[in-house]
Amino acid sequence: MPTRVLVEYIDEHRDRFGVEPICTALTAAGTQIAPSTYYAAKTRAPSARSVSDAATTTLIEKIHAENYGVYGIRKVHAELRRQGHAVARCTTHRLMRSVGLQGVSRAKGPRTTIPGSGPDTRPDLVQRAFTATAPDQLWVADITYC
């Protein structure tokens, strides 16, 4: 389990149980975390990647909103490059996915059969009895492939 998740969990319950007992219980459950790891994670400055990601995510959200939410990864990445921000396309993809942004696709969805709304005018000639007592008495065909 990532340290970030463990730190958030400890933060939620530290007032009730304390840091050391929570770390002991987590270690007994198979998740190794020491109290010193928790305190180090709390006092550590944010990483360069997280700071950069936060700034880039703000720009991506702005570009996406300015273009009515229709720009996808390719166009958002191109717009970032035009504005002078050197961001990799995979980073743009990762950040857009993390905040739930996606473009609008021109492709049509899957075409399915739309059933008719009128009455079924075909008569049921065999009254749903599909068994015959001898050969060549009842012929049934399946036209679902049409």
Side-chain angles (χ1 to χ4, degrees):
M1 196 176 293
T3 305
R4 176 181 42 85
V5 175
L6 293 173
V7 168
E8 290 172 3
Y9 178 80
I10 294 171
D11 280 342
E12 290 175 15
H13 302 287
R14 71 181 284 187
D15 293 335
R16 187 169 169 202
F17 299 108
V19 174
E20 286 80 10
I22 293 174
C23 291
T24 304
L26 287 172
T27 302
T31 304
Q32 295 282 332
I33 185 164
S36 60
T37 305
Y38 168 77
Y39 292 119
K42 292 297 287 181
T43 58
R44 185 180 315 130
S47 67
R49 177 177 170 171
S50 64
V51 171
S52 172
D53 282 355
T56 306
T57 301
T58 304
L59 290 170
I60 287 172
E61 288 173 334
K62 181 179 174 233
I63 290 170
H64 194 262
E66 286 174 352
N67 292 288
Y68 307 103
V70 297
Y71 272 17
I73 295 160
R74 187 174 55 86
K75 288 185 177 181
V76 169
H77 177 253
E79 183 63 29
L80 283 170
R81 302 286 289 191
R82 273 193 295 270
Q83 291 181 6
H85 303 286
V87 179
R89 185 172 171 175
C90 59
T91 303
T92 306
H93 176 75
R94 177 176 54 83
L95 294 176
M96 284 184 71
R97 186 178 54 214
S98 70
V99 293
L101 296 178
Q102 62 183 12
V104 175
S105 175
R106 290 184 190 172
K108 296 183 183 204
R111 185 179 177 113
T112 60
T113 304
I114 300 171
S117 59
D120 189 10
T121 58
R122 296 169 302 221
D124 185 6
L125 299 176
V126 295
Q127 285 77 39
R128 300 286 176 198
F130 297 110
T131 56
T133 56
D136 288 336
Q137 284 186 342
L138 179 66
W139 286 44
V140 180
D142 180 17
I143 60 166
T144 58
Y145 69 92
C146 294

